[in-house]
Amino acid sequence: NANFFYGFEYLGIGDRLVQTPLTDRCYLTLTQALHFRMGGNPFGPAGTGKTETVKALGAQLGRFVVVMNCDEAFDFGAMGRIFCGLCQVGAWGCFDEFNRLEERILSAVSQQILTIQ
């Protein structure tokens, strides 16, 4: 039983996401994680709507969602600046292709996330 404050971020009239049992499960899992002040990491094959589901949930809760496409050029300093900006404005971060980051960068990012939590 989780309650969330609406963020009042107006993003215009967006496209609606098709509701399927998979999106319902994803919404339930992500909202449970939010209730416990944790993050979420939708996982699955390319083109299955993971990013669109996160964006749709953010829009339903009135939150601005920033989608970043990660690649080898990202370093821990860049990720730190992104996290700082997200925290300052209260936005959600959605990191596409997170698996492309090097292991040492992933380790540093995990420490940054622990600091934020």
Side-chain angles (χ1 to χ4, degrees), residues 43-96:
F43 179 77
T48 56
K50 300 176 294 294
T51 301
E52 294 303 317
T53 301
V54 171
K55 287 169 42 180
L57 180 60
Q60 289 177 3
L61 294 177
R63 296 287 181 180
F64 185 61
V65 180
V66 178
V67 179
M68 302 295 291
N69 197 354
C70 299
D71 60 10
E72 295 82 17
F74 273 62
D75 61 352
F76 67 91
M79 294 297 287
R81 290 188 296 276
I82 291 169
F83 287 140
C84 185
L86 291 173
C87 291
Q88 287 177 358
V89 299
W92 287 4
C94 181
F95 296 94
D96 259 353

Side-chain angles (χ1 to χ4, degrees), residues 5-110:
F5 292 107
Y6 186 73
F8 296 103
E9 181 71 36
Y10 180 71
L11 303 172
I13 299 172
D15 297 331
R16 289 206 29 103
L17 186 68
V18 176
Q19 291 295 122
T20 65
L22 183 58
T23 56
D24 289 342
R25 270 198 329 233
C26 190
Y27 281 173
L28 181 61
T29 303
L30 289 173
T31 53
Q32 285 178 340
L34 287 171
H35 176 68
F36 292 114
R37 304 246 185 247
M38 301 176 82
N41 184 21
F43 179 77
T48 56
K50 300 176 294 294
T51 301
E52 294 303 317
T53 301
V54 171
K55 287 169 42 180
L57 180 60
Q60 289 177 3
L61 294 177
R63 296 287 181 180
F64 185 61
V65 180
V66 178
V67 179
M68 302 295 291
N69 197 354
C70 299
D71 60 10
E72 295 82 17
F74 273 62
D75 61 352
F76 67 91
M79 294 297 287
R81 290 188 296 276
I82 291 169
F83 287 140
C84 185
L86 291 173
C87 291
Q88 287 177 358
V89 299
W92 287 4
C94 181
F95 296 94
D96 259 353
E97 305 297 334
F98 198 69
N99 56 320
R100 290 187 183 181
L101 296 177
E102 299 175 17
E103 285 184 25
R104 61 184 181 86
I105 304 299
L106 288 173
S107 176
V109 167
S110 68

